[in-house]
Amino acid sequence: MILNGKEKMERTKNYEEFKHLSSNLKKEKEALSSKVVVKIAMATCSIASGAGPVFALFKEKMSKLPKESVIVQTGCLGLCHSEPTVEVTLPGCEPVVFGKVDVKRAEMIIDGYIMKGEKFDFIIEGNQ
Amino acid sequence: MMKSKQIKIALRNCGHIDPERIEDYISCDGYAALGKCIFGDSPASVIDKIKLSGLRGRGGGGFPTGKKWELCAASVSDKKYVICNADEGDPGAFMDRSVLEGDPHSVLEAMAICGYCIGADEGYIYIRAEYPLAIKRLKIAITQAEEAGLLGDRIMGSDLSFKIRLKYGAGAFVCGEETALIRSMEGNRGEPVMKPPYPAQKGYMGKPTNVNNVETFANVAAILNRGAEWFSSIGTEGSKGTKVFALAGKVKNVGLVEVPMGTTLRELIYDIGGGIKSGKQFKAVQSGGPSGGCLTVKHLDTPIDYESLKAAGSMMGSGGMIVMDEDDCMVAVAKFYLDFTVEESCGKCVPCREGNKVLYQILNKITHGNGEMSDLDKLKNFGNIIKSTSLCGLGQTAPNPVLSTLDNFYNEYYDHVVNKKCAAKQCRALIEYRIIEENCVGCGACKRVCPAEAISGELKQKHLIDQETCIKCGACIKKCRFNAIVAE
């Protein structure tokens, strides 16, 4: 994760420091492109439709994978008709959004898409 | 697909960043606009940029945001306030909640910029207590921003200080009206007061106050980062930028969408929304919540902007967009919204408190089959009086759902009043369940399921529904496997 290990951010004392911080964080964000990035919508609507256990499962399983990965909880993408949604970006690939993800589908995403690049019919956006 | 015709400005970070990590927001140009303002732009010049962008209030009123800031900046006072109105109350609307849950820092940054522009060092977010997750994330965001020196005392080491606190609303619809909101924040009853004086002159605690909606604030940093010209190149002549809508009802892809102003209702409902569910016919679309109106097929090519929607008999509102199909009864829909406003009226002024109740009673009479033709004239007459004599926006717009359905669906009202029929079969008093003798095999399933024991008939004989006893619950229709029961 970005700024891993640091509990608190240091107080920016002047504009130069802020600009420095901003450009550092942008660089760290760019560095994420070499990792598997999993974004799980965790807004009220997503949690109500079951995103909680899905998030927990990704957290648990992904750390055991040989691939470097980052799990991010986000707000909602606006795709209420398909919540819970999970967006996966593999290194060098366009983001792919999976819809109506439950624990079973989450395992399929990890074992199938992330490990082997397999496609599923519950991909709702990107690279179908 | 959903993405095609959308442009995301207010929702630019929603679903892409972790709302509980300020680092994510900063890495997406977060707080850069605030820094640029403090260290290189005068308040007047920032206000000019907001004016030039053409941004207008997204809470429904559509007042030019730059103008609002300018008025408040011009007020002379030792203390001023910035308020973010997050008292989202329209039934079925959740635009503000999504922004606050998905990208809280965008609102905080914009409030600080506003504070810089108008000369305020204190801001409040008036948020519904029913939004616990949004509240939690806002609290985290405020703490993180203060620790990072991007809010609070001496932001980025400059002379600007700006603190943000939360105030919780108890869920009264009228508190979305800015004067009522301010009264409620002061610990008084949430009742609107006469304008002028406007909050820009005399607002919270009697001090000049600038109130903007969540979505309005969410646009500010993007405008300053990418330029007023960029923002004003999106949208129509009078309405710039985009609008977020909570698309709901009988549409395939319900969800939160952000489209450029000028997108037509047809594009929104069919291209983005995917059309009507289960192959039914489109009937109406309701925008603007309880203050808005219902538009029909002939309005589908209306561009979505403040003026066009108003001219068509509805309004932009805060972003609720409810799609209805042939199974929806427009009289019942009007009654639903009026029921809401009658419940939410604060009771301060007579036209709103009593007038809307009368409108509701007339609608109730019509849906129960007791309507007369003179009632339709009364609805129109009373509705217009309430609109022109109510104190605040709630009363001034409450009759809109009735008046717009009367205009656009007069036949349906006529059918209810004269023929005592409800074509959509929603008004229970006006429908009759009947058994088609040819189809009835006398299995007795309907008889067993009827909770009112209104169905009689021997096994393998034709059954009969007693209209006096029938409570019109529809249980028999669902149970019958031979299409032998109809509702008429």
Side-chain angles (χ1 to χ4, degrees):
Chain A
M1 301 275 286
I2 308 176
L3 283 183
N4 223 354
K6 272 191 205 169
E7 290 258 310
K8 248 188 191 180
M9 218 161 94
E10 262 179 59
R11 193 177 170 85
T12 47
K13 288 188 254 341
N14 53 51
Y15 192 33
E16 288 311 308
E17 270 190 28
F18 171 75
K19 283 197 276 193
H20 187 68
L21 171 75
S22 184
S23 77
N24 275 353
L25 288 170
K26 277 181 193 162
K27 274 180 214 144
E28 288 186 35
K29 189 172 83 171
E30 276 160 29
L32 286 181
S33 61
S34 64
K35 297 178 183 172
V36 177
V37 180
V38 180
K39 291 182 177 175
I40 299 161
M42 289 282 275
T44 296
C45 45
S46 338
I47 295 169
S49 49
V54 173
F55 184 75
L57 185 112
F58 271 102
K59 272 265 174 204
E60 186 207 325
K61 295 239 164 169
M62 294 297 286
S63 60
K64 294 177 189 146
L65 290 188
K67 294 188 176 194
E68 259 199 292
S69 63
V70 176
I71 318 282
V72 186
Q73 65 155 349
T74 68
C76 90
L77 275 171
L79 307 168
C80 308
H81 54 89
S82 300
E83 289 293 345
T85 56
V86 173
E87 184 191 281
V88 180
T89 314
L90 300 180
C93 295
E94 286 294 303
V96 169
V97 181
F98 298 86
K100 294 202 189 321
V101 180
D102 51 14
V103 172
K104 203 172 142 216
R105 282 188 172 182
E107 298 207 17
M108 287 165 79
I109 294 170
I110 296 170
D111 300 336
Y113 183 69
I114 294 175
M115 292 312 293
K116 298 180 216 141
E118 265 177 62
K119 300 289 169 65
F120 298 104
D121 57 359
F122 52 93
I123 291 179
I124 51 169
E125 257 180 28
N127 208 357
Q128 294 180 28
Chain B
M1 270 314 289
M2 295 280 286
K3 263 182 183 168
S4 55
K5 295 199 170 173
Q6 298 197 55
I7 298 182
K8 298 209 169 178
I9 300 175
L11 298 176
R12 60 193 180 279
N13 293 327
C14 281
H16 301 294
I17 64 167
D18 184 341
E20 297 184 14
R21 286 170 40 80
I22 193 171
E23 296 88 344
D24 277 23
Y25 180 67
I26 297 174
S27 74
C28 299
D29 278 331
Y31 291 101
L34 177 63
K36 262 189 257 170
C37 289
I38 303 175
F39 296 98
D41 227 343
S42 68
S45 146
V46 179
I47 291 176
D48 274 344
K49 283 176 186 159
I50 301 295
K51 277 169 82 177
L52 192 68
S53 75
L55 176 66
R56 295 170 65 178
R58 297 290 192 251
F63 192 82
T65 307
K67 182 86 197 153
K68 206 172 196 178
W69 290 17
E70 192 176 53
L71 287 170
C72 198
S75 293
V76 182
S77 173
D78 55 335
K79 183 84 185 171
K80 293 183 190 178
Y81 294 98
V82 176
I83 295 176
C84 172
N85 182 349
D87 189 51
E88 186 171 51
D90 285 10
F94 51 92
M95 299 75 56
D96 297 348
R97 190 190 71 205
S98 284
V99 171
L100 294 173
E101 284 180 1
D103 192 14
H105 285 286
S106 69
V107 175
L108 303 183
E109 181 183 3
M111 287 178 72
I113 293 171
C114 178
Y116 173 69
C117 289
I118 66 168
D121 64 353
E122 209 174 333
Y124 285 94
I125 301 175
Y126 185 88
I127 183 168
R128 293 173 61 125
E130 294 96 325
Y131 283 177
L133 187 61
I135 290 172
K136 179 187 149 206
R137 291 194 175 153
L138 274 172
K139 281 184 177 164
I140 294 174
I142 292 171
T143 309
Q144 288 178 344
E146 282 178 353
E147 281 169 4
L150 305 174
L151 268 187
D153 291 327
R154 299 181 60 80
I155 295 173
M156 300 181 202
S158 71
D159 291 334
L160 180 74
S161 295
F162 193 77
K163 287 200 175 73
I164 296 180
R165 295 192 177 90
L166 304 184
K167 284 260 182 186
Y168 307 125
F173 183 62
V174 73
C175 289
E177 200 278 340
E178 58 182 11
T179 62
L181 182 151
I182 290 169
R183 301 274 298 165
S184 162
M185 277 182 52
E186 290 167 344
N188 298 313
R189 278 183 68 158
E191 286 179 342
V193 290
M194 287 285 276
K195 289 193 278 194
Y198 289 93
Q201 293 128 19
K202 204 167 174 285
Y204 182 56
M205 299 296 182
K207 303 292 181 187
T209 304
N210 181 77
V211 186
N212 282 131
N213 164 270
V214 171
E215 190 187 332
T216 313
F217 277 129
N219 278 294
V220 168
I223 291 172
L224 296 174
N225 280 331
R226 302 187 63 174
E229 292 80 10
W230 161 77
F231 190 80
S232 65
S233 71
I234 302 163
T236 64
E237 187 59 37
S239 306
K240 301 298 186 191
T242 57
K243 178 79 193 86
V244 181
F245 287 102
L247 198 56
K250 307 286 179 64
V251 64
K252 272 187 199 141
N253 302 330
V254 297
L256 202 68
V257 302
E258 183 170 353
V259 291
M261 297 280 188
T263 303
T264 64
L265 288 168
R266 188 187 300 280
E267 287 171 310
L268 184 64
I269 296 164
Y270 286 90
D271 298 343
I272 298 172
I276 309 299
K277 262 184 202 165
S278 40
K280 298 257 180 169
Q281 280 294 313
F282 166 83
K283 185 169 184 177
V285 56
Q286 212 280 352
S287 71
S291 308
C294 289
L295 300 180
T296 155
V297 178
K298 67 172 195 263
H299 298 112
L300 273 179
D301 292 309
T302 306
I304 296 170
D305 62 57
Y306 293 98
E307 279 71 33
S308 303
L309 285 176
K310 203 164 184 186
S314 185
M315 66 183 284
M316 178 76 83
S318 62
M321 185 70 76
I322 298 172
V323 179
M324 296 167 216
D325 69 5
E326 51 194 295
D327 292 338
D328 290 304
C329 165
M330 301 317 289
V331 186
V333 166
K335 197 174 102 174
F336 166 80
Y337 281 108
L338 215 56
D339 186 27
F340 181 83
T341 32
V342 165
E343 183 80 12
E344 294 291 345
S345 169
C346 74
K348 184 173 180 178
C349 73
V350 179
C352 176
R353 184 185 67 226
E354 300 299 330
N356 284 317
K357 213 172 275 171
V358 173
L359 285 189
Y360 180 80
Q361 282 160 355
I362 297 174
L363 286 177
N364 209 24
K365 192 175 151 196
I366 294 174
T367 54
H368 280 85
N370 304 319
E372 298 157 40
M373 280 309 281
S374 63
D375 288 333
L376 300 188
D377 297 329
K378 276 186 204 159
L379 283 177
K380 200 157 197 169
N381 193 11
F382 292 169
N384 285 322
I385 294 174
I386 296 167
K387 277 182 77 149
S388 53
T389 54
S390 288
L391 176 61
C392 82
L394 194 154
Q396 286 158 13
T397 55
N400 283 352
V402 184
L403 295 173
S404 74
T405 47
L406 254 180
D407 271 347
N408 293 323
F409 299 92
Y410 185 80
N411 286 346
E412 227 166 290
Y413 278 87
Y414 185 87
D415 220 21
H416 278 73
V417 171
V418 177
N419 303 327
K420 310 289 178 204
K421 289 275 177 227
C422 173
K425 302 191 177 65
Q426 292 297 315
C427 300
R428 277 191 185 181
L430 301 182
I431 48 174
E432 216 169 66
Y433 288 93
R434 201 168 54 78
I435 291 176
I436 307 171
E437 287 199 7
E438 306 88 84
N439 293 356
C440 180
V441 296
C443 68
C446 58
K447 190 175 161 183
R448 283 192 296 276
V449 80
C450 177
E453 299 186 351
I455 304 179
S456 58
E458 295 299 314
L459 212 57
K460 297 197 178 152
Q461 301 287 315
K462 308 291 177 201
H463 282 48
L464 191 71
I465 301 176
D466 177 33
Q467 297 302 334
E468 292 290 304
T469 339
C470 174
I471 56 165
K472 294 162 189 178
C473 65
C476 53
I477 268 201
K478 285 193 198 103
K479 199 76 190 173
C480 180
R481 287 186 289 129
F482 303 95
N483 290 326
I485 303 177
V486 284
E488 289 175 327

